[in-house]
Amino acid sequence: VQLQASGGGLVRPGSSLRLSCSASGFDLDGYAIGWFRQAPGKEREGLASISTSDGSTYYADFLKGRFTISRDNAKNTVYLMMDNLKPEDTAVYHCAADVSLRKIRLGARVNEYDYYGQGTLVTVSS
């Protein structure tokens, strides 16, 4: 049973990248999902979340519409589409799953989530 983020890589500023958050051993459709990132020397920050009930989404204000979260329950995967990437987006990106949307949106310690996935590194550099 695990949650895994994938799809990271090295891209140039202005590029797009789609990250995937995939579950094995359990169904994601019963969980709210959040994407987080942590850059070297910085605090972890919440980026986006999606509910399980009506698929409603929430984004951190600082993203200014550049990122889009979506879910495909048939593929047991949640995506984070990132457009117009900037060097300051360089970080390790993680996803978390929890039955509590409130916990996903307000944040919690890593070990407090039902599932917290291995991260994927995104590097934005020219």
Side-chain angles (χ1 to χ4, degrees), residues 54-76:
D54 59 2
S56 59
T57 56
Y58 166 83
Y59 298 95
D61 289 341
F62 62 80
L63 292 177
K64 297 183 180 178
R66 295 187 299 120
F67 291 9
T68 304
I69 189 171
S70 62
R71 65 192 305 157
D72 186 337
N73 289 336
K75 294 183 178 180
N76 215 25

Side-chain angles (χ1 to χ4, degrees), residues 109-120:
R109 292 189 175 91
V110 168
N111 61 2
E112 292 176 340
Y113 294 112
D114 291 335
Y115 300 97
Y116 193 81
Q118 294 267 358
T120 185

Side-chain angles (χ1 to χ4, degrees), residues 3-6 8 19-21 31-40 42-50 58-60 62-63 67-69 78-82 85 88-122:
L3 198 63
Q4 177 73 52
S6 62
L19 304 183
S20 298
C21 174
Y31 296 85
I33 307 297
W35 280 98
F36 306 84
R37 71 184 181 190
Q38 187 162 20
K42 294 188 176 182
E43 294 287 320
R44 176 167 52 99
E45 54 186 0
L47 304 173
S49 66
I50 188 165
Y58 166 83
Y59 298 95
F62 62 80
L63 292 177
F67 291 9
T68 304
I69 189 171
V78 171
Y79 302 101
L80 185 69
M81 185 69 201
M82 306 185 295
L85 283 163
E88 52 265 39
D89 294 317
T90 295
V92 177
Y93 285 68
H94 295 263
C95 56
D98 203 282
V99 294
S100 169
L101 177 61
R102 185 173 186 273
K103 188 188 295 184
I104 289 287
R105 289 193 175 175
L106 296 182
R109 292 189 175 91
V110 168
N111 61 2
E112 292 176 340
Y113 294 112
D114 291 335
Y115 300 97
Y116 193 81
Q118 294 267 358
T120 185
L121 176 62
V122 174

